[in-house]
Amino acid sequence: MEIVQSFCTLCALLLIGKFLRSTIPLLRKLYLPASVIGGAVGLAILTCFPGVLPKGCTAGWMQLPGFLINIVFAALFLGASLPPLRGMWKMTATQVCFGQICAWGQYVAGLGVAMLILVPVFHVTPMIGNLVEIGFEGGHGTVGGLTETFTTLNWEEGKDLGYTMATAGMVLGIVLGMTLINWALRKGIVKNIRRLEEAEPLEQLGFYSPDTKRPDAGKQTVYSDSLDSLAFHIAIVGMALLLGWGMKEALLACDPFLPECVRNLKIVQSFPLFPLCMIGGLIVQGILVATKLNAFLDGGQVQRIAGASLDFLVLSAMASIRLDFIAAYWLPLLLLIIAGTLWNLFCVLVLAPRVFEQDWFERAIAEFGQMMGVTATGLLLLRTADPENKTCAMSAFGSKQLIHEPIMGGGIWTSMALPLVLTLGGWTVFWLSVVAVIFWLIVCYFIVKR
């Protein structure tokens, strides 16, 4: 019964979030997802009225984000056509360089503030400096996926602090992003702005009109008398998860045979599952393409599975935040938020005009949204600044993800940085990040620009 109560409560909160977003103009103008609003409602209920909901209504909420993020990453490349690496690099090289500079710079900003101020003054762990990239660029999903890592490294409060950073980044990303777009409009940098007030009434409420052609959620690729098409696609995603889990078990089995200096870094024990599930998705996609069975895999259905998982992930993550941790760390969190936000604004206003020769603002505002509040926020801001897709920003930004995502924003480095800070020290990882920023600046200038 607890599973039924827990699931029904999450569904009710999600619908409440959708209702509030549709009826409160401020929430619509902020473009806050219903999952964030519903999660905030759940957090408020559990905090202000702790005895109202039966215990079974919240069963499993804290474990759910760590599981669902594996589905999101496993589905990342399933059903997608992967262009040749050389052609992809030629098409989006500057976007990749800019994205890497921005992401590595978040470590420079976060760890710099942590090692100079937070560690000596507030006596916190140096790992707190990683929260800028984990919360801003990675978002709620990445924080949820690192839950086991936080536990292994004896820093369980990092999960709640990370969720807070992710929420702050999402809100600030939308508010500051819209402010930057309005500034660009006044300066004449962009002209075809799509305002919320210009949308149809139902679109403002977040619904497709029944009188217009609604986009397809996906195509059925198998006959339902043999297997439901959605079940078929869920099973394919499950195979990607299985490969990821197998790789994780293989790593754990190899750990005792590694040199002691490597074992002391605790990289294998603390390495999360979701980046391996992403690799599993790539392997499954490669097998399907090689056997020409990819014709029976519909990217639309895969994305609906990932999208639904992400909504319930954010919802359960928001509702299960421990406010006592937030109260104890509010000032260090505020300093990290300020440092990360200033760096992101510097990237947009100072670096972007010098990196991009064409459509610099549209390409930069998409990156700003991702830097502050994951990819979906970047796409939202880009759709506002370039509603008719007249620039090259959408193609460059989308192609760049195939190179960027496996590394940063929940990729390999995001997963490795936490144990490295704990074992090698915050200053070591800080200088590694500085070197990475310089490296990508050199690549951008000497290779791409020339």
Side-chain angles (χ1 to χ4, degrees):
M1 282 298 294
E2 283 189 348
I3 296 177
V4 176
Q5 290 177 337
S6 178
F7 177 69
C8 291
T9 305
L10 285 175
C11 291
L13 288 174
L14 196 58
L15 291 175
I16 290 171
K18 176 60 178 173
F19 172 77
L20 292 176
R21 190 187 191 278
S22 300
T23 54
I24 300 176
L26 177 61
L27 297 180
R28 294 201 302 272
K29 290 181 179 180
L30 288 177
Y31 289 94
L32 286 179
S35 54
V36 172
I37 301 170
V41 172
L43 179 63
I45 293 173
L46 293 174
T47 303
C48 301
F49 311 100
V52 170
L53 293 178
K55 187 177 181 181
C57 290
T58 60
W61 283 11
M62 297 186 70
Q63 290 75 37
L64 197 58
F67 167 70
L68 292 177
I69 188 59
N70 298 320
I71 297 177
V72 175
F73 270 75
L76 197 60
F77 298 121
L78 282 175
S81 57
L82 303 179
L85 188 61
R86 181 177 179 182
M88 184 169 55
W89 173 254
K90 182 179 180 181
M91 177 172 57
T92 185
T94 49
Q95 200 79 31
V96 172
C97 291
F98 186 72
Q100 289 289 311
I101 292 168
C102 296
W104 284 101
Q106 289 187 347
Y107 281 101
V108 175
L111 288 171
V113 170
M115 300 309 295
L116 289 173
I117 301 174
L118 304 185
V119 173
V121 175
F122 298 96
H123 307 292
V124 297
T125 173
M127 290 186 291
I128 198 170
N130 293 45
L131 292 182
V132 175
E133 198 270 347
I134 291 173
F136 278 11
E137 181 107 10
H140 295 85
T142 299
V143 178
L146 290 171
T147 298
E148 186 178 344
T149 303
F150 289 128
T151 303
T152 303
L153 300 178
N154 297 317
W155 192 44
E156 294 190 12
E157 59 266 37
K159 171 177 67 70
D160 298 277
L161 301 179
Y163 284 142
T164 305
M165 288 289 295
T167 304
M170 180 178 291
V171 174
L172 283 172
I174 294 171
V175 173
L176 293 178
M178 291 299 176
T179 303
L180 288 171
I181 290 173
N182 286 318
W183 167 81
L185 180 64
R186 291 195 303 270
K187 293 289 186 178
I189 300 173
V190 294
K191 295 179 174 61
N192 299 314
I193 299 295
R194 183 179 184 273
R195 300 181 184 276
L196 180 66
E197 295 78 9
E198 299 173 357
E200 297 292 330
L202 278 177
E203 186 181 352
Q204 293 184 31
L205 299 179
F207 292 97
Y208 288 104
S209 171
D211 300 327
T212 60
K213 180 176 173 55
R214 297 174 175 177
D216 294 325
K219 302 291 185 182
Q220 296 195 55
T221 60
V222 295
Y223 283 98
S224 58
D225 60 351
S226 64
L227 176 64
D228 184 82
S229 185
L230 181 60
F232 172 73
H233 285 79
I234 291 175
I236 295 295
V237 175
M239 292 302 97
L241 264 67
L242 179 63
L243 285 175
W245 174 80
M247 285 184 278
K248 177 66 181 288
E249 290 298 310
L251 287 175
L252 292 174
C254 294
D255 186 57
F257 304 101
L258 295 175
E260 185 177 357
C261 59
V262 177
R263 294 201 308 271
N264 291 337
L265 295 178
K266 297 183 179 180
I267 293 177
V268 174
Q269 300 98 314
S270 59
F271 198 82
L273 179 59
F274 66 91
L276 300 176
C277 291
M278 177 180 62
I279 298 174
L282 277 170
I283 295 173
V284 170
Q285 179 68 13
I287 293 173
L288 292 175
V289 171
T291 57
K292 298 185 178 180
L293 293 174
N294 59 309
F296 303 106
L297 187 67
D298 180 69
Q301 290 213 41
V302 172
Q303 291 310 308
R304 297 291 71 73
I305 295 169
S309 300
L310 187 59
D311 276 334
F312 279 99
L313 184 159
V314 174
L315 178 69
S316 56
M318 284 286 299
S320 56
I321 290 177
R322 291 277 303 275
L323 290 181
D324 53 334
F325 289 147
I326 309 307
Y329 287 87
W330 73 270
L331 187 51
L333 279 177
L334 179 61
L335 294 176
L336 287 175
I337 290 170
I338 293 172
T341 302
L342 290 176
W343 165 254
N344 293 341
L345 289 172
F346 172 81
C347 290
V348 172
L349 298 175
V350 178
L351 288 182
R354 293 163 173 81
V355 170
F356 300 124
E357 296 179 343
Q358 180 184 6
D359 306 322
W360 75 266
F361 182 81
E362 289 86 352
R363 297 175 71 172
I365 200 65
E367 292 294 338
F368 180 79
Q370 183 175 27
M371 284 189 288
M372 296 294 296
V374 303
T375 306
T377 307
L379 293 174
L380 167 68
L381 296 177
L382 177 56
R383 184 166 175 257
T384 304
D386 184 23
E388 299 178 11
N389 199 21
K390 292 183 176 181
T391 71
C392 66
M394 180 62 76
S395 59
F397 181 69
S399 301
K400 158 248 178 185
Q401 305 301 343
L402 298 177
I403 299 176
H404 183 82
E405 292 283 357
I407 304 172
M408 311 299 288
I412 301 299
W413 175 256
T414 304
S415 308
M416 292 176 55
L418 278 169
L420 288 177
V421 167
L422 183 65
T423 53
L424 300 180
W427 281 120
T428 301
V429 180
F430 169 84
W431 288 114
L432 284 174
S433 303
V434 170
V435 170
V437 171
I438 296 173
F439 168 78
W440 283 106
L441 284 170
I442 293 173
V443 170
C444 185
Y445 181 77
F446 285 102
I447 298 179
V448 178
K449 299 291 283 186
R450 293 191 177 184

